[in-house]
Amino acid sequence: MLFGDRAKYLGIVIGLTFASLLITQQSAIFAGMMTRTFSFLSDVALPDIWVVDPQVKYIDDIRPMQDTEVMRVRGVEGVQWAVPLYKGSLAVRRTDGTYQSSVLIGLDDETLMGGPPQMLIGKLADLRRSGGVIVDINGAQGKLAHILPNGTKEPIKVGDEMEINDNRSVVVGICKVTQTFQANPVIYTTYSSATSFAPSQRLMLSFVPVKAKQGQDPHVLCRRIEKATSLRAYTRDEFKMITFLYYLKYTGMPINFLTAVALGFLVGVAISGQTFYNFTLDNLRYFGTLKAMGARNGMLLRMILLQALVVGAIGYGLGVGTASAWGMLISGRTQLAFRLPWHLLMVSAIAVLVICLSSAALSIRKVMKLEPAVVFRS
Amino acid sequence: MIMDRNMESTSTSTFPVAVSCEGLTKAFGKGEARVKALRGVDMKVKNGELLMLVGPSGCGKTTLISIIAGVLRRDAGECIIFERDYDCMSEDETTLFRGKNIGFVFQAFNLIPSLTTAENVATPLIINGLKPRDAVRKARDILAEVGFDHRMMESLPTDLSGGQQQRVAIARALVHQPRLIVCDEPTSALDAETGRKVMELLQRLGRGENRALVVVTHDSRIFDFADRIAEMNDGRITQVVSSARELTTAQSKIE
């Protein structure tokens, strides 16, 4: 019946499409942004454990430690290797004289463990050259690019010199990293270079990434390291989770996105519910006719549910399809965070299902209570 | 009871009784707003008979056929349809009984606009559990009997004239071989000639030894199709006539 009433059919499909689009898109942007909060941990895949100062609450909450802590961690039983890692935010001078805050990562001089996940130009080993740095492609082409006199941007290239916190450095490579939450450029160098670039202070060590020995349970090793050093040790997933939870709790982002998602849900319920109910009211005569002809409530219930689920499936497909196409189109060209794992598709599907069922519920109630005698009333 | 005797006496049919109502009452509303629609109706309709119910608006015709068709519960009295009493059936049993035994023809046709003609006619069969493909095949057969070609069978009701829609409605009422057909003003939305054609069709296809027809109508032009005409007024059957000549007198009273 519903498919014969094109105006209402399209109204419901558009309502569900809009709801599905808004729910999926906003959730995907939220997921993308939250993933960026621990992008550094995702990029540095080798260590099983991250040892930090006990006061550290998330990955960007740097509380420097003494360099000697690396030795203490190495001494714990079950540790295969442990290396120093520096992470800080330093000002980089651009060619137009302005400064750009950038993330500086200092890798262990010997092993260069924790380097970028993908080198585009140059080699990681070139970091050992005096003042050598590797810049991420987004930064090289964007915030750190040279500003020419005519105002256009020229990407940084290998061989260019940069001023990091008033220290000379040379670009020896271009890499690709996962975008950070703050979207600042990421610069890699050696630990010794990083500590010379950074403002001098008593404590410089940010993290001690640790590899557990073969067969060693990382959780058990964490507890052992904590006991031996009085530092805090997290497995990679734990560190990701506390970072994720910190941003979830303190940034207000979930409320903003939840509001948008809830709005999409409510708009879907309002448009689809009202249109579906109107459709039922308009067709009560036919439902009455079917009842008079012997159709039982169960059959009419299935009819209404089938119609609701079919428009739901169409609306969901169109909404999710549009959200995915939009995400692919926009995130490749802009800094937009967009991540659409299957969990979000499920969430969106459940939301659309709830919209459809709640829309159908009012109609079902009306039809179930309908007296078949209505067919003889003019 | 006078009416009952009258009906018995005027009937020449030897078929068993299809519908038997005695002392049937029905009221709507509560308190001061309570309206008595039926005030003790006695009536019998025999198998093979076409009975017309006539009377002014609000006299209780529609209430009576609603109770006979099993879409409305009575307040008191007795209404036996093919030896079954709706009051002894559950809601589900009544629905099932209606689906198998009653055919409906409505004033406004009530064809589902999104279904094709053939699908509309197939609906009672599908409700009764036939597979849609078989149901549509049977629907096509009966549509051919009412003069529909293949193209018209695939048309939507909105593409058909009023007369054609009523022919579809008749086909829908007959397709599952019900034993009782109730028609509510089947010709009132049609012109005189089309109305007669529709009644001829109903007469040709609907009449049968094991089937009764109850037709509610205001249309005096079709009275000659009836075996008997029961006149209603103020919730009671006031007169039953059996021939066209008597009919003329009765109709003048109604109007």
Side-chain angles (χ1 to χ4, degrees), chain B:
Chain B
M1 293 320 270
I2 294 168
M3 279 307 97
D4 206 0
R5 282 199 303 275
N6 201 354
M7 290 175 82
E8 294 283 358
S9 63
T10 53
S11 173
T12 53
S13 172
T14 54
F15 298 121
V17 174
V19 179
S20 172
C21 301
E22 276 186 26
L24 209 55
T25 64
K26 178 71 185 176
F28 296 102
K30 287 178 181 173
E32 287 184 9
R34 188 172 171 84
V35 176
K36 288 184 176 178
L38 297 180
R39 296 164 180 268
V41 171
D42 301 327
M43 186 183 84
K44 279 191 168 60
V45 185
K46 310 232 175 203
N47 260 331
E49 185 178 39
L50 191 158
L51 177 92
M52 281 191 186
L53 274 175
V54 301
S57 296
C59 70
K61 305 185 297 287
T62 300
T63 305
L64 180 57
I65 60 159
S66 296
I67 292 173
I68 290 172
V71 294
L72 191 67
R73 294 277 176 182
R74 64 182 184 259
D75 288 343
E78 192 178 74
C79 184
I80 307 293
I81 313 292
F82 303 111
E83 299 177 347
R84 296 288 305 275
D85 185 349
Y86 288 126
D87 268 18
C88 298
M89 298 184 210
S90 67
E91 210 48 59
D92 264 4
E93 284 170 339
T94 306
T95 306
L96 199 67
F97 181 85
R98 219 166 43 223
K100 290 199 181 304
N101 296 290
I102 317 283
F104 292 88
V105 178
F106 305 101
Q107 179 180 0
F109 322 127
N110 287 12
L111 300 175
I112 296 168
S114 55
L115 301 183
T116 65
T117 300
E119 288 166 345
N120 262 290
V121 175
T123 306
L125 296 170
I126 294 168
I127 288 172
N128 280 309
L130 205 65
K131 286 181 181 169
R133 186 183 292 178
D134 297 337
V136 170
R137 200 175 58 239
K138 280 198 169 188
R140 286 177 193 284
D141 292 343
I142 196 162
L143 277 169
E145 284 190 59
V146 302
F148 271 52
D149 60 25
H150 181 76
R151 187 183 56 80
M152 288 164 78
M153 290 177 195
E154 297 307 316
S155 303
L156 293 174
T158 45
D159 298 331
L160 303 177
S161 68
Q164 287 171 330
Q165 287 192 55
Q166 199 57 301
R167 278 155 64 194
V168 176
I170 289 170
R172 184 177 66 177
L174 293 170
V175 70
H176 57 306
Q177 302 289 326
R179 292 194 285 172
L180 173 67
I181 295 173
V182 290
C183 308
D184 183 33
E185 304 278 8
T187 60
S188 66
L190 309 173
D191 60 68
E193 192 187 334
T194 312
R196 281 200 71 80
K197 282 182 179 169
V198 161
M199 283 309 295
E200 281 167 9
L201 183 69
L202 204 56
Q203 179 100 304
R204 178 166 62 86
L205 296 177
R207 296 292 287 269
E209 287 185 1
N210 294 314
R211 183 179 292 144
L213 285 95
V214 179
V215 179
V216 167
T217 186
H218 277 101
D219 189 354
S220 59
R221 297 167 301 190
I222 62 166
F223 284 2
D224 53 340
F225 286 94
D227 294 321
R228 292 185 301 152
I229 299 167
E231 182 193 0
M232 285 190 76
N233 202 0
D234 198 21
R236 292 187 182 88
I237 290 179
T238 53
Q239 190 177 3
V240 175
V241 293
S242 58
S243 72
R245 288 182 62 183
E246 291 171 84
L247 180 66
T248 312
T249 317
Q251 178 61 8
S252 65
K253 285 179 188 169
I254 295 165
E255 300 192 328

Side-chain angles (χ1 to χ4, degrees), chain A residues 195-239:
Chain A
T195 49
S196 66
F197 291 157
S200 181
Q201 54 188 45
R202 193 170 62 86
L203 307 174
M204 298 296 280
L205 179 67
S206 307
F207 307 107
V208 183
V210 172
K211 183 74 180 172
K213 279 184 179 167
Q214 187 84 26
Q216 180 69 53
D217 181 349
H219 292 94
V220 174
L221 185 54
C222 280
R223 303 296 82 81
R224 202 178 294 145
I225 291 169
E226 285 175 351
K227 196 174 175 185
T229 62
S230 299
L231 297 172
R232 190 82 173 88
Y234 295 107
T235 64
R236 201 162 70 110
D237 288 342
E238 283 173 347
F239 205 19

Side-chain angles (χ1 to χ4, degrees), chain A residues 39 42-44 114-119 175-178 188:
Chain A
S39 60
S42 302
D43 283 352
V44 185
Q118 190 183 355
M119 287 297 297
C175 66
K176 189 174 182 184
V177 297
T178 307
Y188 287 87

Side-chain angles (χ1 to χ4, degrees), chain A residues 306-325:
Chain A
L306 179 69
Q307 292 179 97
L309 292 176
V310 168
V311 288
I314 295 169
Y316 170 72
L318 289 174
V320 166
T322 310
S324 306

